[in-house]
Amino acid sequence: MSLNKKSVDDFCAKGRRVLVRCDFNVPLKAGVITDDTRIVAALPTINKLLNDGAKVILCSHLGKVKNGPNEDESLAPVAKRLAEKLGKPVNFVADYNVTGAAATAAVEAMKEGDVVLLQNTRFRGSEETKNGEAFSKELADLCDDYVCDAFGSSHRAHASVAGVTDVVRAKGGNCAVGYLMQKEINFLGNAVENPVRPFVAILGGAKVADKLNVINNLLEKCDTLIIGGGMAFTFLKAKGYEIGKSLVDLEKIDYCKEMMAKAEKLGKNLLLPIDTGIAAGFPNPIDAPIDVTYVDSDKIPADMEGLDIGPKTCKLFADAAKAAKTVVWNGPMGVFENPVLAKGTIAVAEALAEAEATTIIGGGDSAAACNQLGFADKMSHISTSGGASLEFLEGKELPGVAAADDVCGRKKIIAGNWKMNMTPTQAVELCGTLKDLVKNDDVDVVYCVPAIDIVPVVAAVKDSNVKVGAENFYIEDKGAFTGEISAPMLLDAGVEYVIIGHSERRDIFGENDILINAKVKKAFAAGLKPILCCGESLALRKAGTYKEWIRRQIKWDLDGICACNVKNLVIAYEPIWAIGTGETATAEQAQEVCKLIRDYIAELYDADTAAKVRIQYGGSMNAGNAAELLAMPDIDGGLIGGASLKADFGKIVNYNK
Ligand code: PEP
């Protein structure tokens, strides 16, 4: 699973209806919110979208909703508090149906910068929790784009987290993550997949059984694995120690032995408590005064119970944490709710607070311990969710994370431009011929086909890696425009990309930069991905003025297009003298202009936008010259005419094999 996800910075939300899945599962007492941390945490994403001019539709669950919709679990108090925090009205749709007629009417009445909050998604019962298709579609029908900012729900494949994204994506919308989600993914993802070493993982908490997969996964990723808390006693027992009345999971003794053997085999440091704080029994109530003594961990008397790590262990664990560059901590070291038994947890928290390392705290008890003991602001990141962060550390794919679009990272894009070739029958035949030849996960493969071939080609490439593009479209949605085809028509037929400003449309059909610019704007607004063509004639090349020409085309064609849209743009540099002539630009000539375009985008926008825009070369690209052209640093793919109509196209797509 890629963790490089599209964020709210990576698409243009202006004028669009954006559904944001938040985590507004706040604690309530008699209808009053007792802690609004989760509402406050959602504000940066909401404000960013509002500032961009989006129509922001918010949804969330609240509570478990065990007995069906009810006023106690309504999001009404959230709407009120959110309006105070945002300093603007929040139109709350109280309807228990969540997505019914009231929601549709509220969304239809929205203007840019308005906020609507839908009712508790769990009021739809199993339609939400079982990822129901109908509810997913109803949610998707309310919006153009979707943003998930509910990390605490991202380990659940619910309709408002997972199912909705399939429908939004299918209609050309963006599925992105909000700032909260992005931060969680960055910290937890980097720690587990790409840690700065030494990487130390500290696990605690009561039961081994709760963390079987976490131990197994982290053992493979980290350099040192520290085990404290109640779960350490099962490991100590597995070592043959007497552990008195301490918590033990007898069924997991063999598992602990297996993990200790695995650590040894992998050359990993597995640290267990060497001394233990013991008492006659568990404190009752939990914060009751208690008499604690410290003994070596192999000398716990039969009538005593281990309830915390001892001072020698505190030093051992703290030294390991301080030597680390990355530390992940999940689970307290003892019964930290009792001040006498909090010493081990405090020692670990203190060590992390002092450590130079990136320190990441899994949610749940360890987050509560950090907050309660006053160390929260000393940690690099405290996860907002126990359950989701634990599944992340287990190496599991989180449905809410997987559902967001990947940032393509300038993945190569090989697009065929069929021009006015192929009858529908021939088109289907060609799809059949190419079917097995164009499989390559490293590249995006697109067939841009004549309008009449779109429907059969979409059907022919269904369930394959091939996306379908149009060769042209018009800027209006419908009406008296004889011979034209609109963005909604293309989207409805399953088209994802559209070529805009091909030199043949400019030269033969008289399209100018004003119309081309309007088409780029319309494509983005509608959810089509434009492939914008530019390129110079032979005369301009010979005259040596081609660079100025290209810059002028780019400037005019991108006039008024925002950076976040340009990041999702494909530009095809197609020198007219090389199109259909068999005369290819050399790799150096093509690279020179593709770099010039990228540098110019940096000048018009910024370096980040320039680094993200994909630039293709087009002009007699074929199986013989593709590899050399595509090896150039600023060439991110090809737009291919003649060679896209034969088996050769498969060789171009597989240029890197
Ligand atoms: C094109 O028309 O976009 C093109 C690049 O054609 P060819 O590959 O045939 O030169």
Side-chain angles (χ1 to χ4, degrees):
M1 172 175 71
S2 161
L3 296 179
N4 194 4
K5 294 292 172 181
K6 184 182 279 181
S7 85
V8 281
D9 291 328
D10 295 326
F11 72 95
C12 183
K14 183 162 172 51
R16 297 188 49 97
R17 300 168 302 158
V18 182
L19 178 67
V20 187
R21 173 57 158 98
C22 300
D23 183 358
F24 290 147
N25 187 22
V26 291
L28 287 162
K29 226 178 207 157
V32 177
I33 296 170
T34 55
D35 178 358
D36 63 9
T37 311
R38 288 185 169 167
I39 297 176
V40 173
L43 296 177
T45 296
I46 299 172
N47 279 324
K48 150 81 182 157
L49 291 166
L50 291 174
N51 290 339
D52 282 355
K55 300 169 186 172
V56 178
I57 307 152
L58 305 168
C59 68
S60 172
H61 76 284
L62 174 69
K64 298 217 182 310
V65 193
K66 282 193 177 140
N67 302 313
N70 64 87
E71 268 322 281
D72 291 344
E73 289 174 305
S74 161
L75 280 171
V78 171
K80 198 161 162 271
R81 183 67 59 90
L82 186 62
E84 284 161 22
K85 296 281 170 194
L86 286 172
K88 59 160 41 206
V90 170
N91 184 4
F92 176 55
V93 184
D95 182 7
Y96 285 177
N97 185 268
V98 188
T99 50
T104 307
V107 170
E108 265 170 18
M110 286 177 93
K111 294 188 295 299
E112 289 182 11
D114 282 353
V115 184
V116 160
L117 172 65
L118 304 179
Q119 186 53 281
N120 188 344
T121 51
R122 287 201 185 155
F123 283 5
R124 289 290 290 261
S126 62
E127 288 191 274
E128 161 73 335
T129 56
K130 296 263 178 340
N131 207 14
E133 251 181 62
F135 185 44
S136 299
K137 183 169 181 313
E138 287 167 33
L139 285 168
D141 283 347
L142 292 175
C143 69
D144 302 306
D145 302 305
Y146 170 86
V147 170
C148 185
D149 214 14
F151 183 67
S153 300
S154 64
H155 56 314
R156 302 204 167 96
H158 289 180
S160 66
V161 173
V164 59
T165 63
D166 293 333
V167 192
V168 169
R169 194 174 292 111
K171 61 178 186 171
N174 296 285
C175 295
V177 295
Y179 292 131
L180 258 182
M181 276 283 280
Q182 196 178 34
K183 188 164 175 253
E184 295 275 8
I185 296 171
N186 285 350
F187 272 105
L188 289 163
N190 271 331
V192 179
E193 296 310 330
N194 199 14
V196 183
R197 294 184 185 278
F199 171 25
V200 173
I202 307 174
L203 295 178
K207 290 197 233 134
V208 177
D210 291 342
K211 298 208 171 126
L212 295 180
N213 295 329
V214 184
I215 297 169
N216 194 24
N217 189 42
L218 288 181
L219 203 46
E220 284 165 19
K221 312 271 172 162
C222 70
D223 303 295
T224 298
L225 180 63
I226 294 177
I227 303 221
M231 61 193 270
F233 297 108
T234 306
F235 276 88
L236 295 174
K237 181 90 181 159
K239 277 179 80 136
Y241 291 4
E242 281 313 319
I243 56 164
K245 293 195 302 180
S246 309
L247 198 66
V248 65
D249 193 346
L250 291 173
E251 281 176 16
K252 296 290 173 279
I253 299 261
D254 284 345
Y255 169 84
C256 291
K257 285 184 184 162
E258 203 187 301
M259 289 301 112
M260 289 190 282
K262 182 169 175 171
E264 196 163 325
K265 188 162 165 243
L266 295 175
K268 303 293 170 85
N269 218 357
L270 178 63
L271 298 182
L272 296 169
I274 48 174
D275 61 346
T276 298
I278 54 169
F282 203 85
N284 185 15
I286 201 153
D287 56 353
I290 191 162
D291 209 3
V292 178
T293 49
Y294 295 95
V295 295
D296 286 349
S297 295
D298 58 349
K299 297 197 178 60
I300 301 175
D303 57 347
M304 299 295 264
E305 180 170 356
L307 296 168
D308 193 10
I309 54 173
K312 286 190 265 180
T313 307
C314 288
K315 181 163 178 354
L316 177 74
F317 289 3
D319 287 348
K322 282 186 196 160
K325 288 263 175 6
T326 306
V327 186
V328 168
W329 177 25
N330 190 302
M333 297 292 106
V335 187
F336 76 96
E337 297 90 340
N338 187 304
V340 184
L341 300 168
K343 291 189 179 130
T345 304
I346 292 177
V348 167
E350 257 169 6
L352 262 60
E354 283 166 26
E356 308 251 304
T358 300
T359 48
I360 299 147
I361 316 301
D365 278 349
S366 24
C370 277
N371 286 321
Q372 192 177 314
L373 303 171
F375 290 102
D377 59 348
K378 302 268 182 352
M379 305 302 169
S380 313
H381 179 66
I382 299 188
S383 177
T384 50
S385 163
S389 66
L390 213 54
E391 291 201 14
F392 220 119
L393 299 179
E394 285 175 8
K396 273 196 190 158
E397 181 173 283
L398 271 55
V401 177
D405 296 343
D406 292 334
V407 168
C408 69
R410 281 173 54 195
K411 188 177 180 185
K412 293 267 195 271
I413 173 164
I414 308 291
N417 173 15
W418 291 8
K419 308 194 185 191
M420 198 173 73
N421 293 297
M422 299 286 139
T423 63
T425 311
Q426 290 167 332
V428 173
E429 270 168 28
L430 180 60
C431 290
T433 309
L434 294 176
K435 192 167 179 269
D436 293 326
L437 306 177
V438 293
K439 286 185 185 149
N440 183 356
D441 288 340
D442 302 338
V443 307
D444 286 334
V445 182
V446 187
Y447 297 167
C448 298
V449 306
I452 197 161
D453 294 341
I454 287 172
V455 171
V457 168
V458 167
V461 300
K462 191 170 175 279
D463 301 327
S464 81
N465 57 320
V466 177
K467 309 285 185 209
V468 178
E471 295 175 13
N472 182 32
F473 82 121
Y474 191 57
I475 50 176
E476 298 295 338
D477 284 348
K478 61 178 182 180
F481 304 99
T482 304
E484 289 299 331
I485 188 160
S486 73
M489 291 171 180
L490 294 177
L491 288 163
D492 187 60
V495 166
E496 210 169 289
Y497 290 85
V498 62
I499 299 177
I500 298 176
H502 190 280
S503 58
E504 286 151 19
R505 296 230 45 98
R506 292 179 193 252
D507 294 348
I508 306 170
F509 301 99
E511 290 194 13
N512 61 22
D513 290 298
I514 295 171
L515 179 61
I516 289 163
N517 173 251
K519 287 189 177 189
V520 177
K521 282 184 179 145
K522 177 68 191 181
F524 277 124
L528 285 168
K529 296 175 183 156
I531 299 177
L532 169 67
C533 300
C534 61
E536 80 285 2
S537 64
L538 189 58
L540 287 170
R541 165 87 27 189
K542 282 191 174 152
T545 52
Y546 61 99
K547 293 182 187 167
E548 290 73 27
W549 174 260
I550 301 286
R551 264 198 285 263
R552 204 167 54 213
Q553 280 188 322
I554 295 292
K555 188 172 165 46
W556 285 346
D557 296 348
L558 295 188
D559 185 43
I561 312 279
C562 62
C564 39
N565 272 338
V566 175
K567 287 176 192 169
N568 293 303
L569 178 68
V570 179
I571 297 178
Y573 166 57
E574 298 208 302
I576 299 169
W577 47 272
I579 295 179
T581 58
E583 189 180 338
T584 326
T586 63
E588 289 72 26
Q589 284 173 322
Q591 162 63 20
E592 182 199 38
V593 180
C594 290
K595 180 170 185 324
L596 175 145
I597 294 171
R598 197 177 306 286
D599 290 346
Y600 191 49
I601 297 283
E603 216 178 297
L604 289 175
Y605 297 90
D606 52 65
D608 181 46
T609 307
K612 287 188 170 138
V613 63
R614 289 193 285 180
I615 306 175
Q616 297 174 311
Y617 166 76
S620 300
M621 193 186 267
N622 57 42
N625 59 27
E628 196 192 350
L629 285 158
L630 294 169
M632 289 291 150
D634 287 292
I635 301 182
D636 306 317
L639 184 57
I640 293 120
S644 69
L645 301 169
K646 41 190 184 188
D648 255 21
F649 189 64
K651 293 196 185 130
I652 302 175
V653 167
N654 284 288
Y655 74 98
N656 63 340
K657 301 284 168 185

